[in-house]
Amino acid sequence: QVQLVESGGGLVQAGGSLRLSCAASGRTFSSYVMGWLGWFRQTPGKEREFVAAIRWSGSNTYYADAVKGRFIISTDNAKNLLYLQMNSLKPEDTAVYYCAAGLPTRIARHYDYDYWGQGSQVTVSS
């Protein structure tokens, strides 16, 4: 089992930055030899949306087109932490952000992930 806990959300003005963190406990990231860690976001009435994903080793990263060039996903395996640095934030980035871990067949498909955090609200004002 893996437990994931997000932190770092909040309210920020458009153009600002926030960094989300996701702390893992239980099995360590190193157990996911071929696994992935991801960030998704969700707004009311919409399906959970892929944001970014990283292989546990940090060797591969993928981003949704909507955040490419603005967001950076990274890990600190020694501390079992996953990060999402969000820059140049826009009002349309407002959502609840979730971290996830698993062995997805398709990394952008949320239901392929096994473990989820509780979510962290990010609100971007215009």
Side-chain angles (χ1 to χ4, degrees):
Q1 286 289 335
V2 173
Q3 292 79 44
L4 303 174
V5 178
E6 299 100 341
S7 61
L11 174 65
V12 64
Q13 287 188 333
S17 298
L18 280 175
R19 189 177 77 162
L20 299 179
S21 300
C22 176
S25 59
R27 292 173 66 184
T28 65
F29 289 177
S30 61
S31 298
Y32 280 82
V33 177
M34 297 296 292
W36 290 86
L37 306 166
W39 287 99
F40 291 77
R41 64 188 183 186
Q42 191 169 23
T43 53
K46 293 189 176 181
E47 189 172 1
R48 200 161 290 190
E49 175 190 28
F50 172 73
V51 175
I54 186 169
R55 198 182 289 276
W56 79 270
S57 64
S59 59
N60 301 90
T61 58
Y62 291 94
Y63 295 92
D65 287 344
V67 306
K68 200 172 294 182
R70 299 188 297 122
F71 291 11
I72 301 171
I73 188 171
S74 62
T75 61
D76 183 339
N77 290 348
K79 297 181 180 179
N80 283 358
L81 288 169
L82 171 69
Y83 300 106
L84 184 69
Q85 177 66 42
M86 304 184 292
N87 302 318
S88 302
L89 282 160
K90 304 175 182 179
E92 51 263 44
D93 294 318
T94 295
V96 177
Y97 283 71
Y98 298 88
C99 61
L103 297 167
T105 301
R106 295 187 181 181
I107 60 170
R109 194 161 62 185
H110 63 87
Y111 50 84
D112 279 12
Y113 288 76
D114 302 306
Y115 303 103
W116 290 88
Q118 82 286 358
S120 183
Q121 177 70 47
V122 171
T123 302
V124 184
S125 62
S126 57

